[in-house]
Amino acid sequence: SQIAQWLIREKISNSINTLLEILPMSENRELAVSRLKKSISDISKPISSIYRLLVIEGGAAANYFRAWQGLPLKWTGLKNKPIPDDWREVGPRQMSWRNKTQNARHPLNGMLNYGYGMLASQMRSNVLAAGFDPSIGLLHESHYNRIPLIYDLMEPLRPIVDATVLDFAMSQIFSPGDFVINRFGGCRLN
């Protein structure tokens, strides 16, 4: 579908902008940008199925988030309350749909999940106000997702949320009390 291709092409384009605007210059960032540009080129060609489009999008997302790994986060108050070692820098982005408990395992992922939740709420309000049915979508159709259109329309905007969250995370000094680990091992904002 041309609409689905447009949504993912815009997401990848916005992902490139986020990397260039927020991440410091590095070999890692430049490699990710190069690979994302290749993904845009692949999407610009005729796509035989939604599955093929999602394969391209998944590869682009992996390259995008891989460029974030290793960015340091600043902490204070660790003598009184230690944090897990992997919280000291940005780690892999674990996709919540792969884990039925839907718990972030890292503070940055918790912040991203919160930002995406706010975006979903705003998008749902806009879709309903426009008179569309949020239960009819293109990319996120499944028996688990009752509002696939919302998640479809969010795709191009996710990198904008990412940029806001990443810029915030890199400019702040966190304390262990800013986050809690729930009984499932998930990291939540306090």
Side-chain angles (χ1 to χ4, degrees):
S1 155
Q2 291 180 350
I3 295 171
Q5 282 180 265
W6 179 84
L7 289 167
I8 299 304
R9 188 170 38 253
E10 287 299 303
K11 176 184 182 179
I12 296 171
S13 178
N14 288 339
S15 296
I16 291 169
N17 292 338
T18 293
L19 292 177
L20 293 174
E21 292 170 11
I22 305 298
L23 268 61
M25 172 66 148
S26 71
E27 187 177 316
N28 217 16
R29 183 189 82 171
E30 296 310 305
L31 179 61
V33 167
S34 173
R35 288 179 175 171
L36 290 173
K37 286 179 179 178
K38 166 105 172 55
S39 295
I40 288 175
S41 174
D42 292 345
I43 285 177
S44 298
K45 299 171 187 169
I47 303 288
S48 59
S49 68
I50 292 292
Y51 175 78
R52 175 71 184 127
L53 179 61
L54 292 174
V55 167
I56 294 169
E57 188 272 338
N63 286 312
Y64 171 66
F65 285 114
R66 196 174 301 120
W68 296 30
Q69 290 182 25
L71 294 172
L73 297 178
K74 297 176 216 142
W75 293 89
T76 188
L78 299 181
K79 288 182 183 177
N80 297 331
K81 188 174 181 185
I83 59 170
D85 285 339
D86 64 336
W87 286 15
R88 294 178 185 273
E89 62 184 31
V90 176
R93 170 79 176 139
Q94 300 298 324
M95 303 302 171
S96 62
W97 56 266
R98 293 183 183 156
N99 178 351
K100 291 189 179 180
T101 62
Q102 295 188 357
N103 286 294
R105 301 288 187 226
H106 188 279
L108 186 67
N109 290 334
M111 289 185 273
L112 287 171
N113 289 350
Y114 184 81
Y116 297 152
M118 290 175 34
L119 177 59
S121 178
Q122 290 176 347
M123 188 62 67
R124 185 175 184 160
S125 294
N126 292 339
V127 164
L128 292 173
F132 293 107
D133 182 352
S135 68
I136 300 170
L138 301 166
L139 301 166
H140 291 87
E141 287 283 339
S142 77
H143 62 279
Y144 296 110
N145 185 355
R146 296 187 344 234
I147 54 171
L149 181 60
I150 304 307
Y151 293 100
D152 289 351
L153 296 176
M154 283 174 54
E155 288 300 324
L157 302 174
R158 285 178 182 269
I160 296 166
V161 170
D162 298 343
T164 303
V165 169
L166 191 56
D167 187 46
F168 171 79
M170 293 181 67
S171 67
Q172 297 300 306
I173 298 174
F174 297 105
S175 72
D178 293 334
F179 305 94
V180 294
I181 298 175
N182 68 19
R183 63 187 176 106
F184 301 108
C187 177
R188 302 286 177 151
L189 309 179
N190 196 4

